[in-house]
Amino acid sequence: MGRSRYQFLSPTEPHFLTLTVLHWIPIFTRPDTINILLDSLRFLQGDGLKVYAYVILENHLHLVAQSPQLDKDIARFKSYTARQLINYLQEKRVKTILDQLAFYKKAHKADRDFQFWQEGVHPELIQGEAMMVQKIQYVHQNPVERGFVDCAEHWRYSSARDYQGIEGLLKIEQYW
């Protein structure tokens, strides 16, 4: 996947993933842009993607996920969401962000005007229950650590609510 030195060692096993907007540009600040991500994840869930935890912040998201071909599913997710989000930014005439996505685009991406995601997703294979619990807690505590909320379940765009027995925005697998 891309030019990242990180690779999916076992693409059928659960992984912790980080997907970052190019140059950490804050794009997920409106429900419309976040819904593009959530809708894409829901679609992939229909194809076998299991999401154990997620959090969406203004310029990146973390997932703990698994599928029969996680590397390919994440590539599909990034490709589709990049197209949809760029289309959204063009429709809304968000020239400043589009200019940044064009300016910071890697030189080898000559076949396109914009690059949305940073290359790679830094996949970390989940190696046992202790690591799974640690990564899920890390995902849920991200908005707390950043000072956005006091309690993880108060962050709307996270699976922390699901782990508190409150239905969240995305179906979560809590058993692995």
Side-chain angles (χ1 to χ4, degrees):
M1 172 167 215
R3 299 182 191 301
S4 173
R5 63 187 170 102
Y6 300 99
Q7 298 191 4
F8 289 88
L9 299 176
S10 300
T12 61
E13 299 297 321
H15 282 73
F16 169 76
L17 312 162
T18 301
L19 291 79
T20 307
V21 177
L22 188 66
H23 210 68
W24 295 87
I25 300 167
I27 293 183
F28 308 123
T29 58
R30 300 178 188 279
D32 288 345
T33 56
I34 294 168
N35 284 332
I36 290 170
L37 301 179
L38 293 172
D39 288 344
S40 182
L41 288 170
R42 288 184 194 108
F43 176 83
L44 290 170
Q45 285 178 319
D47 279 354
L49 178 72
K50 293 179 182 178
V51 177
Y52 299 105
Y54 78 95
V55 65
I56 302 170
L57 294 154
E58 75 280 8
N59 52 21
H60 70 287
L61 67 135
H62 295 292
L63 294 170
V64 177
Q66 176 180 13
S67 82
Q69 51 185 9
L70 189 58
D71 53 346
K72 290 181 176 51
D73 284 341
I74 296 302
R76 288 170 54 201
F77 174 82
K78 287 178 70 174
S79 176
Y80 176 80
T81 56
R83 281 193 312 273
Q84 294 302 309
L85 289 159
I86 289 168
N87 288 345
Y88 173 84
L89 294 169
Q90 289 173 323
E91 287 171 13
K92 300 294 181 185
R93 293 179 169 74
V94 187
K95 185 177 178 340
T96 305
I97 291 177
L98 289 168
D99 288 347
Q100 290 175 340
L101 294 174
F103 179 79
Y104 292 115
K105 175 182 73 129
K106 301 294 181 201
H108 67 270
K109 304 251 183 207
D111 62 334
R112 61 196 80 179
D113 294 330
F114 308 101
Q115 178 181 344
F116 187 85
W117 296 107
Q118 286 186 17
E119 291 183 345
V121 294
H122 192 158
E124 293 182 52
L125 177 65
I126 302 294
Q127 300 177 31
E129 187 165 348
M131 185 176 183
M132 177 69 94
V133 170
Q134 185 269 330
K135 292 301 183 185
I136 290 172
Q137 288 175 346
Y138 174 83
V139 166
H140 293 161
Q141 288 302 309
N142 215 265
V144 176
E145 293 293 322
R146 305 233 0 232
F148 294 152
V149 291
D150 292 328
C151 299
E153 62 270 17
H154 292 169
W155 190 253
R156 180 173 174 75
Y157 303 111
S158 165
S159 55
R161 293 175 174 201
D162 297 275
Y163 283 87
Q164 296 298 315
I166 304 165
E167 186 176 350
L169 300 174
L170 188 67
K171 183 177 178 257
I172 299 301
E173 302 285 338
Q174 294 187 32
Y175 304 101
W176 48 86

